[in-house]
Amino acid sequence: MAPRCWRWWPWSSWTRTWLPSSRSTQNFGQHFSTQEQTPQICVVGSGPAGFYTAQHLLKLVPFGLVRFGVAPDHPEVKNVINTFTQTARSDRCAFHGNVEVGRDVTVQELRDAYHAVVLSYGAEDHQALDIPGEDLPGVFSARAFVGWYNGLPENRELAPDLSCDTAVILGQGNVALDVARILLTPPEHLEKTDITEAALGALRHSRVKTVWIVGRRGPLQVAFTIKELREMIQLPGTRPMLDPADFLGLQDRIKEAARPRKRLMELLLRTATEKPGVEEAARQASASRAWGLRFFRSPQQVLPSPDGRQAAGIRLAVTRLEGVGEATRAVPTGDTEDLPCGLVLSSIGYKSRPIDPSVPFDPKLGVVPNVEGRVVDVPGLYCSGWVKRGPTGVITTTMTDSFLTSQILLQDLKAGHLPSGPRPGSAAIKRLLGSRGVWSVSFSDWEKLDAEEVSRGQALGKPREKLLDPQEMLQLLGH
């Protein structure tokens, strides 16, 4: 029989649906089945990987990063939520929020109750800089900063000080450009988005005029895409600052690059080396804010203010490249450069955490060891998304990856490799949670919260105003 889907989610699944960024974000699941002979499958995770896995399983036999990781001025990216809502509303899929796997229920208990369990809980942590001064006020992870302006409850009290003139973002991926764009976008351009009112108020009073986006390697190794770069170049009221010397000899080297990379490099090269037209030159001349890319620089130390109470700059090691192709790496030259700033945002990557002692985990790679989605040495346990392959790629990449894991699981089901006989499934887990005083939240509950956010947003002329306090959410649901 085709599997029925029971979905377990944590707070993040319904209050912050897409950024695998908190303990609760990684703790939800989808459970397929209510009939005794129906395969019962649990998917732990409420981000794109979890939903795509459930969607694929349901087809063949409240979302995370989209809600809390996608920039508020990119509403078109969030359209996929409509598809995920259809999955959650399926009569073969049940949603349970406010459940944290590893705390409220163990993975072993899920394995005992289901024929298969899929871990899709993403990467909820950030890569630390591991340099002196990293703990100074004024230094934040980009992950936390994104969570702050996107309404992630755990980051609602971040309160970044935007009274400085210069901000430095360490890392040159799409998240770094998202953060730079939000810092520099005229606040009136954000008023009709779902950015939180608290963040919008802080940005209205921001004094940040210059943003440097720093990378340890060169232009050929940037990790952002052409769409994000084009948005930065065209950002109202700003001008780009690129050093033509960083692009010497690049024209010949990009000829053999793949088309997407070639187009990106050509746009960078034109922006850095070509004289702008009359209209563009006038626009840049009138710009009150600026952003720039600094290459061949690696963070060495966050410099304190004279009283030692605040970040006042960052010391960068000058680097050079060694190796070729994928083996290219940046090594220090011995020279350093001090860059004054009052805000440092680290955007050097995300990483997954171990979810349960019974699940193997590679702390160096930050993934659950697996072969094609099958967790090594644990039959019936699978993984998809960032916890499977690491925090790389975009939502489309995760969709493809999740579909592949689903196919492997279905192959194993058809071949008889999963446990035989009936499993108690959701009923057993719900009894277990009830005995532990854990109140799970249904998808209809999530939709009540969603409607409340939309209503509050309409009063402000916005798509929604996100609820930030989990206790308020429970109260709205009558708990």
Side-chain angles (χ1 to χ4, degrees):
M1 298 179 64
R4 298 180 68 86
C5 170
W6 291 78
R7 185 167 186 87
W8 292 77
W9 294 41
W11 277 114
S12 54
S13 55
W14 47 275
T15 63
R16 3 176 191 179
T17 5
W18 284 74
L19 180 61
S21 60
S22 75
R23 189 46 144 174
S24 59
T25 306
Q26 60 182 343
N27 307 320
F28 35 148
Q30 296 147 322
H31 309 278
F32 304 81
S33 161
T34 51
Q35 300 178 11
E36 193 172 71
Q37 299 303 317
T38 301
Q40 304 190 55
I41 303 170
C42 167
V43 180
V44 179
S46 62
F51 261 111
Y52 279 128
T53 300
Q55 177 187 340
H56 196 62
L57 287 169
L58 288 174
K59 279 186 174 181
L60 295 183
V61 280
F63 315 139
L65 185 60
V66 169
R67 180 174 163 85
F68 296 105
V70 174
D73 57 346
H74 282 178
E76 72 285 351
V77 180
K78 303 183 184 185
N79 291 336
V80 71
I81 286 178
N82 298 328
T83 300
F84 292 161
T85 296
Q86 293 176 11
T87 298
R89 286 176 175 170
S90 168
D91 59 5
R92 291 187 290 146
C93 179
F95 166 86
H96 298 268
N98 195 30
V99 177
E100 182 173 334
V101 175
R103 181 194 66 188
D104 301 326
V105 61
T106 68
V107 172
Q108 185 59 55
E109 288 168 336
L110 294 177
R111 293 181 62 214
D112 291 341
Y114 296 90
H115 292 96
V117 175
V118 185
L119 303 176
S120 304
Y121 63 86
E124 65 171 1
D125 209 350
H126 69 279
Q127 295 284 357
L129 292 171
D130 291 328
I131 60 174
E134 183 175 6
D135 296 328
L136 282 169
V139 182
F140 303 94
S141 71
R143 170 198 168 280
F145 192 78
V146 170
W148 168 70
Y149 64 66
N150 267 334
L152 191 61
E154 70 181 58
N155 299 129
R156 65 187 186 275
E157 297 180 356
L158 194 70
D161 184 354
L162 305 182
S163 64
C164 59
D165 177 81
T166 302
V168 169
I169 302 172
L170 302 171
Q172 294 183 331
N174 280 342
V175 173
L177 264 61
D178 281 347
V179 169
R181 193 178 66 255
I182 295 299
L183 280 171
L184 296 176
T185 295
E188 59 270 20
H189 290 216
L190 297 173
E191 290 175 349
K192 302 301 181 183
T193 73
D194 65 358
I195 191 170
T196 67
E197 282 297 294
L200 186 57
L203 290 168
R204 286 194 182 105
H205 293 93
S206 172
R207 295 172 58 187
V208 175
K209 300 298 182 185
T210 303
V211 176
W212 288 107
I213 306 164
V214 179
R216 57 190 173 87
R217 297 191 291 177
L220 284 173
Q221 288 79 37
V222 296
F224 51 73
T225 54
I226 193 169
K227 177 181 182 292
E228 280 68 24
L229 175 62
R230 189 178 290 116
E231 286 179 324
M232 287 300 300
I233 294 171
Q234 299 172 351
L235 193 61
T238 68
R239 59 185 176 85
M241 298 183 296
L242 302 177
D243 186 351
D246 289 332
F247 298 84
L248 293 176
L250 192 63
Q251 185 68 61
D252 293 334
R253 299 179 63 188
I254 65 177
K255 290 179 180 178
E256 297 180 359
R259 188 171 182 270
R261 173 63 52 167
K262 183 178 181 181
R263 290 176 59 235
L264 173 63
M265 290 301 107
E266 287 173 343
L267 179 56
L268 265 178
L269 191 62
R270 288 196 304 271
T271 305
T273 61
E274 293 183 4
K275 184 178 179 181
V278 176
E279 185 176 339
E280 177 62 15
R283 187 189 74 83
Q284 292 186 17
S286 64
S288 61
R289 299 181 176 186
W291 62 274
L293 296 171
R294 299 291 282 268
F295 299 106
F296 307 109
R297 301 291 187 274
S298 179
Q300 193 174 64
Q301 178 185 354
V302 178
L303 303 174
S305 58
D307 61 8
R309 297 182 179 179
Q310 176 72 27
I314 187 160
R315 179 159 295 159
L316 302 168
V318 179
T319 64
R320 67 173 185 274
L321 297 183
E322 290 186 354
V324 295
E326 295 295 325
T328 300
R329 62 191 186 97
V331 298
T333 64
D335 295 329
T336 61
E337 172 186 85
D338 290 350
L339 187 58
C341 63
L343 179 65
V344 178
L345 297 167
S346 170
S347 183
I348 60 173
Y350 297 92
K351 64 179 181 179
S352 298
R353 293 179 180 176
I355 190 173
D356 189 288
S358 69
V359 179
F361 188 78
D362 185 330
K364 184 176 182 180
L365 298 178
V367 299
V368 172
N370 70 93
V371 178
E372 296 183 317
R374 297 183 183 95
V375 175
V376 174
D377 296 329
V378 189
L381 188 62
Y382 301 82
C383 57
S384 66
W386 282 4
V387 77
K388 170 186 174 183
R389 71 178 191 277
T392 60
V394 294
I395 290 178
T396 303
T397 316
T398 295
M399 177 184 68
T400 302
D401 172 83
S402 299
F403 285 1
L404 290 174
T405 292
S406 300
Q407 289 171 355
I408 290 294
L409 190 158
L410 291 171
Q411 288 174 16
D412 290 351
L413 178 64
K414 185 177 180 180
H417 296 323
L418 297 182
S420 60
R423 288 292 173 102
S426 170
I429 297 300
K430 289 202 295 190
R431 286 194 298 270
L432 184 63
L433 292 172
S435 70
R436 293 171 180 172
V438 179
W439 184 58
S440 65
V441 176
S442 68
F443 193 74
S444 63
D445 287 334
W446 150 246
E447 291 186 305
K448 292 175 185 176
L449 296 175
D450 178 62
E452 176 66 20
E453 289 187 345
V454 171
S455 176
R456 294 186 183 190
Q458 287 176 345
L460 298 170
K462 302 168 60 178
R464 70 176 61 243
E465 180 60 24
K466 293 174 182 173
L467 297 165
L468 304 181
D469 185 352
Q471 292 305 312
E472 181 185 10
M473 298 174 203
L474 287 173
Q475 290 172 4
L476 287 170
L477 295 175
H479 184 70

